[in-house]
Every structure is written in C-alpha cells, then in structure tokens.
Amino acid sequence: DITGMSYAQLEATPLQWPMPEGASSGKVRLFEDGIFPTPTGRARFVAAPYTPVAEPREARYPFALTTGRLRDQWHGMSRTGTLGRLFGHVREPALHMHPQDMSRRLLAEGDLVHITSKRGSILAPVQASTEVGLSQVFLPMHWGDEFLSGHSNTGERLGGVNALTSPVFCPDSKQPELKHAAVKVLKADMPWGVTALAWLPADQVLARRTELQALMARFEFASCVLFGNDAALGQAGRTGVMFRAAGSAPPDDALLAQIEALLDLQGPDAVRYADPQRGQRRVVRLQRSTVNATLEGFLLSGDTQARDWMAALLREEQPAQNYGRALLAGGAQPPLPVLSKGKTICTCLQVSDIAITDTLSRCTGSDTERLGQLQQALQCGTNCGSCIPQLQRMVKATPVAAAAEAGA
C-alpha cells in the first residue's frame, strides 16, 4: 500500500513502503505484531523439496545459458532503452563467455556465433567475460527482437533471447524458468557485414531508430541500439543510433541506401567510397568548425575492421581531420592512435574506467578508505549507487602497496 506517498515527497527524500494514506512514514518492519493476513493470523511455511533445473546441460547442448538484468537497463527497456547514455556501460547485444571456452572454440572477441537451444536459434557477437564460469554463458534478458534480430536460411525471423528460453514454469508460483536453458554455441560464417553509427537530431532519433528496426529482419543478423555522450547528470547531451548487420552475401544497394538516408549520410557533407565488385561501401559525414572536424556519422559495408576506432572517434567527438583518407580506406589499425576516454563505469556522472584507475593509483589506506577517496575526487557512485559494486571490485584489483607507492 503506497497510497500515502506523493511525487513531491519522493523528490524530497526516499520513502519506505508500505505507507498507507494518512501515515507520516513507511512501516519499517512488517508483521512485527506477529499477526499475518491468514484466517488464523499465523504464518504459513512451505517446505519445498529441491528441484533441479528443467533442462540440464548435455553433450549436444554443453553450455548453461543464464539470463538476467543489465546494471543500467530494466526489463523490456521500454523506458531505459530510449536514453542513449544508459548504453554506455553495455553498448550492444553480446553473449558473455569465459575466455577459456572462447579459446577452446577458436572464437575471438566480436565474432558472431549461433546460440541454439532445443527451441530456437539466434545470432549475437561473443564477448569475453571472467564473470561467468566455464561451460556457462550469459545473455541479458533485455535483448528482445526490438534490439537483436535477423532471419534464418529458410527466411524465418529470428527473435531475441526468448527464442532460446524454456517455457517450463513452477506449478506453485507459475514463475517461468526463463533464466536457465541448455544451449550450444557455434561460430557463424558471415563474410559480409555492415556497421553504421550517426549522431541524430534529438527530436528525430527515436523515430529513426524505429524505422531502422523495421529493416532488421532483412538481414541474417542485425542489432540496433542507441548511444549517447551525456557530459553529466541533468545535461541533455547527444544521442545517436548504431546499426549492425551481417550475412552470407551483401544486400542490394537500395537497402544500404535506406540505412544511409535514415542516418543522414546522404547530404552534401558526406563523402563516400564504393567498389561494387568487391562488395565494399564506405560513407562518412564530417562537421567542420574553425578549429577541428568531427565525425558525425559513418557506414562501413563489407570490410568493417575500422569500426572500433572510428566509433571511438565519433562517440567521444575527437578531432578527426588528421585521419583523412583513412576514414574511407578501412583497416583495423588507424594511421594515428585513437586515445579513447575509456569505458563508462558511472553512467550518472559519465566517469570512465581510465579516470577511475588513474585516481585509484593515488589513493591510500584500506579498501573502504580508498573507495571514499575515489568518490570524493570523481563523485562516481554518489548518485544512484548502481556502480558501487563495480567500483569496489576495481578498488580490490588495485594493490594497496601499489597505491601507497604511487601516493608516496
């Protein structure tokens, strides 16, 4: 019962529920009088026997797939998924796998893989993570077919993560066993790919994303997510769209032209390179100022090796004029180093892992003291607090001796 709460009260201070109408504060402890809402007033306990997972791993499906929340997203992302800055911590759909399992299967970071259960199959890039155990993989539950999609070789549309999960449910609570399924993971042979990113006008970005999402089923693999670069809490910042796709053969030019148009890559400030015989197509849009030129959008089709360093240039709005023809030449290595600002750890205040590591090298004392010094210096973890567990892990990963020597 939260009828006693108001938005004005919640803006002023946290409140604990239940808080019925007329109450001045929430109830700290339920049932403290020992009376429960049953006919006898006594609590009912259920001694449920242990039940194993409905679908254990087996030789054909050797991985245990778990699903769950991302730190900065919520359920179907109908609201959190409309804010570009909330994609800073996890930028796009990916299957998390232990590095040893990746090595045994000759998988490299970013390789596309088929993830298959007894009910269906989807495609996603693989990402190394020591936060999952051996023979386990993790795919966030948020990646439904709105963000991750494609079609099979028979033309059937591939859905998101729920194409893999089990329909079995608890007979008492009716809770489905969505968070565990047995799967196999195989490398996908997708010789052609496209990556396109662009900053877009704030009043058009969500509509453009919706139009791009309608094109996802035209590819064997596709993902479409927002990105943003808010400078700090309360600032609007900028938002853009990232579209990725892959397949066994290039699509027709008209489909790529649609993507270009939706990302504003067809204007007079866009330059392009095309080699139809080799299936190569690159478009970049630059914005010039009196001092620098910044990369406002790009599309790489065919050879997408340059996507990482070009995406860093774009997202962080670094000067791009010194990269010249390399923006259209492709290749995994840029002609000049791209000094990335790092991965966002504190989304609220846009604090990166590089800034945190640098500050921690000068902090001394116990883990608790160093965390306090870190928060005082950078303010990370002082707003919503969701990044504090990760900050604590980073504090533990910095040896005290090293921090003390740096401070001395």
Side-chain angles (χ1 to χ4, degrees), residues 141-366:
M141 67 182 183
H142 314 289
W143 304 128
D145 57 11
E146 183 180 2
F147 301 97
L148 177 66
S149 188
H151 67 76
S152 67
N153 54 11
T154 61
E156 180 185 2
R157 180 167 184 178
L158 301 179
V161 61
N162 278 351
L164 307 173
T165 53
S166 171
V168 177
F169 60 88
C170 168
D172 298 312
S173 68
K174 312 304 180 188
Q175 172 73 27
E177 193 169 274
L178 295 173
K179 295 189 176 182
H180 182 275
V183 298
K184 57 185 174 183
V185 179
L186 300 173
K187 187 173 182 178
D189 183 17
M190 297 283 170
W192 176 88
V194 62
T195 298
L197 289 85
W199 296 114
L200 293 171
D203 60 345
Q204 299 179 33
V205 64
L206 294 181
R208 301 283 188 90
R209 184 191 68 170
T210 299
E211 292 185 71
L212 285 164
Q213 287 171 334
L215 303 178
M216 292 168 63
R218 305 271 297 273
F219 299 91
E220 292 170 66
F221 159 79
S223 68
C224 184
V225 295
L226 299 178
F227 64 90
N229 72 342
D230 290 7
L233 181 68
Q235 297 188 16
R238 304 182 72 189
T239 303
V241 177
M242 178 175 73
F243 185 92
R244 283 187 60 186
S248 53
D252 58 65
D253 288 342
L255 182 53
L256 292 177
Q258 260 186 290
I259 296 171
E260 288 180 16
L262 290 170
L263 294 177
D264 288 344
L265 295 175
Q266 293 184 332
D269 54 351
V271 292
R272 65 182 58 244
Y273 162 85
D275 184 345
Q277 288 188 338
R278 299 176 61 192
Q280 304 296 322
R281 181 184 185 120
R282 303 186 190 101
V283 186
V284 298
R285 175 165 60 89
L286 297 169
Q287 179 173 292
R288 300 185 181 277
S289 66
T290 55
V291 180
N292 293 317
T294 55
L295 186 59
E296 293 291 294
F298 69 84
L299 179 143
L300 306 176
S301 173
D303 178 8
T304 62
Q305 295 180 83
R307 68 185 176 209
D308 290 339
W309 65 265
M310 288 182 64
L313 275 182
L314 186 146
R315 285 192 180 103
E316 299 174 10
E317 299 183 286
Q318 298 189 32
Q321 64 271 13
N322 294 330
Y323 294 86
R325 295 179 180 177
L327 295 171
L328 292 175
Q333 298 300 321
L336 299 170
V338 177
L339 301 177
S340 173
K341 297 176 184 177
K343 179 183 176 182
T344 300
I345 301 298
C346 177
T347 303
C348 294
L349 298 171
Q350 294 290 288
V351 184
S352 72
D353 57 347
I354 293 176
I356 291 168
T357 302
D358 179 64
T359 301
L360 275 175
S361 70
R362 298 186 293 274
C363 295
T364 58
S366 67

Side-chain angles (χ1 to χ4, degrees), residues 63 95-111 126-138:
F63 284 96
L95 179 75
H96 301 251
M97 177 183 278
H98 195 281
Q100 290 185 33
D101 282 326
M102 288 178 59
S103 177
R104 292 187 185 113
R105 286 156 180 79
L106 304 179
L107 295 173
E109 186 90 5
D111 281 351
V126 67
Q127 177 180 315
S129 173
T130 56
E131 294 183 1
V132 296
L134 291 169
S135 300
Q136 291 182 344
V137 288
F138 172 74

